[in-house]
Amino acid sequence: MRFDDEYMHVELTDGRVFSLPLWWIPTLYDASPEEREKYEINRDRTMIIWDPDKCAINDEVRIADYLGPCDK
């Protein structure tokens, strides 16, 4: 996963990459680039998590919420 000024780019396990606009997730949009990088991926690789005990962001992104119906 990587970030630029406008998007979070997520590489799926099958090699596809999707780009999520940061403004869709205000906590990420408002965070510094350094804080955005302090994420963890859950064990089943379905969520990206920012732990408020480890960074200034308290949020989770469930990948399936941003994929089309056939990808869930």
Side-chain angles (χ1 to χ4, degrees):
M1 187 166 79
R2 67 180 181 83
F3 296 90
D4 62 29
D5 291 339
E6 296 182 36
Y7 293 92
M8 174 173 67
H9 305 280
V10 180
E11 183 173 350
L12 304 176
T13 55
D14 64 5
R16 292 179 294 163
V17 175
F18 79 92
S19 299
L20 184 65
L22 291 174
W23 63 268
W24 285 8
I25 307 168
T27 54
L28 297 181
Y29 182 79
D30 294 335
S32 70
E34 294 80 21
E35 291 298 305
R36 290 181 195 141
E37 294 291 340
K38 296 178 182 177
Y39 63 87
E40 299 174 3
I41 298 174
N42 71 336
R43 292 183 84 191
D44 61 359
R45 303 185 61 78
T46 59
M47 294 182 73
I48 304 163
I49 301 164
W50 288 265
D51 183 341
D53 292 334
K54 298 178 182 176
C55 68
I57 303 170
N58 180 12
D59 212 338
E60 300 174 346
V61 172
R62 197 174 79 132
I63 301 301
D65 289 347
Y66 298 96
L67 298 177
C70 62
D71 295 322
K72 289 185 179 181

